[in-house]
Structures are given as structure tokens and as C-alpha cells.
Amino acid sequence: MSSRSSRKKDIPPVPDTTAIERAFIVSSSHLATPGNEDLSELEFALTVMNNAFQRWVQRCMAAVGLPELSVLDTLILHSINHRHRERSIPDLMFTLNLTERHPLNYSMKKLDELGLIERRKQGKEVFLHTTERGRQYCQDYARLRRVCLLELAPSDRKVGGVPISDVAKALRVLTGFYEQASRSAVSLQTDRSPTSG
């Protein structure tokens, strides 16, 4: 056998890059329904991004001096501080897309005990606003956000060639899809508990 033919056998085959280019990045292949793999890829991206976002919110608030606040606590504080106007509990639930009041009550109790918010009752309605201490923490958070996060944003305000505002609009539309799918799931729900016969 010639040395030339032995060298040819040692050369690895060229990978099929077209197959790689068509691959979808998903976390659960059983949910990547053929023809709808893009939605599974989006869901995986949302999961990873949501975890990164929550980690950022909590660490930013911890950095300004409130490590005891959860992500929901922090988002509620910012929402109450929005435009420096009083917010009602139904307004907060609607704005943050909360379906249960219990987590909101728990967060409000914590924010109240830390002296970050105050409540005002008018009839049966409760209105909330931030205290001077609460507003100061929100301002400190905003300053740190500018330094740590906003400086990373592209100057053309685009991600992958798409304006960030368009990404936000698309996510709001997708939120509606998932809301409708949730309602459909409830209507199709079956009892599969161990005690069901």
C-alpha cells in the first residue's frame, strides 16, 4: 500500500453542515412537534432568558442593599413606584399578570415590614404607594441597572437585527397565545389522580 493511500484514510470525513444549520435548539425533543420545532426552540430560549432575568433582578436588588427581596417582591415594588402614583391591588395583579392574590399579599407584607411601601384604605379598596425609603431603593436599582445592563445594549437598539421594541411586541402577542392555550387546557382537563376510577 502506498503512503499516499494511507494518508487518505487518515483524513476525517467533512461533516454535513447543512444538517447542523437546520438543527433546532430545544430542551425537550418530545415537545418539538415536526413542523413546529421553532416554537419549542422559542420556549427553551424563553426558559433560559427568564432564569437569567430573574437572577439579574434579584442580584441587582441585593447589590443595592435588599438581598431579602425575591424577584416578585422587587417587581411589585417597582410597579408600585411606577409614575409615583398610588396603585390598587387589582391594578397590580393585572399589570404583572398575576392570577392568585396570595403571592401578592405575601410580597406586600414583606415590603410593608421593610418600610418600602404604605397602604391607604378607601372603602373596600386598598391603595399602595412607595415610601421615601422605597423610592430611594428604586432609584439606586435604576442607577445600577444603567451601569451594569444598559451599557451592554447595542447602540442601534437591535438584537439579531431586530429592534428590541419589536421583540417586546412579539412577546406580548405570544402571551395572548399562551393565555388562550391555558384556558383551553382547563376546559380539557381530566381527573387522572390515583383515586380516580
Side-chain angles (χ1 to χ4, degrees):
M1 179 185 291
S2 69
S3 59
R4 178 178 292 180
S5 62
S6 65
R7 279 198 302 271
K8 282 183 179 178
K9 288 183 179 179
D10 294 338
I11 299 172
V14 177
D16 182 4
T17 56
T18 57
I20 295 172
E21 289 168 3
R22 288 196 306 270
F24 288 92
I25 301 171
V26 300
S27 65
S28 307
S29 59
H30 61 281
L31 299 179
T33 309
N36 293 285
E37 297 92 344
D38 55 348
L39 190 57
S40 292
E41 186 169 33
L42 171 72
E43 290 173 346
F44 182 41
L46 283 174
T47 300
V48 174
M49 181 183 173
N50 181 53
N51 289 336
F53 172 70
Q54 291 199 30
R55 190 161 48 247
W56 150 252
V57 169
Q58 194 155 28
R59 290 187 178 171
C60 185
M61 193 50 100
V64 299
L66 287 174
E68 58 269 67
L69 292 193
S70 70
V71 174
L72 183 59
D73 299 336
T74 301
L75 296 177
I76 289 171
L77 177 63
H78 287 307
S79 189
I80 293 172
N81 193 60
H82 177 58
R83 299 183 191 274
H84 306 295
R85 290 199 308 237
E86 288 185 322
R87 304 297 298 274
S88 69
I89 290 173
D91 282 347
L92 285 172
M93 293 187 69
F94 181 74
T95 301
L96 296 173
N97 200 20
L98 300 174
T99 56
E100 295 182 12
R101 186 161 166 171
H102 173 69
L104 178 61
N105 287 341
Y106 182 78
S107 289
M108 288 190 308
K109 184 174 184 288
K110 188 191 294 187
L111 296 172
D112 202 355
E113 289 172 351
L114 289 168
L116 303 174
I117 64 169
E118 289 179 342
R119 309 174 193 222
R120 180 181 67 83
K121 196 166 184 181
Q122 183 175 323
K124 293 184 178 180
E125 193 71 78
V126 175
F127 293 90
L128 307 151
H129 63 271
T130 47
T131 61
E132 181 57 39
R133 174 180 163 85
R135 287 190 289 276
Q136 185 60 56
Y137 275 111
C138 286
Q139 289 168 10
D140 291 346
Y141 182 104
R143 276 193 290 270
L144 189 59
R145 182 175 180 268
R146 280 195 294 273
V147 172
C148 296
L149 181 66
L150 299 190
E151 288 189 3
L152 297 176
S155 58
D156 63 358
R157 315 306 299 161
K158 291 183 178 181
V159 177
V162 180
I164 293 174
S165 60
D166 286 352
V167 175
K169 289 173 190 171
L171 289 173
R172 286 194 291 271
V173 171
L174 285 164
T175 298
F177 294 165
Y178 282 97
E179 294 282 6
Q180 181 57 51
S182 296
R183 286 189 285 274
S184 299
V186 169
S187 70
L188 297 172
Q189 186 173 351
T190 58
D191 186 6
R192 297 183 65 180
S193 63
T195 57
S196 64

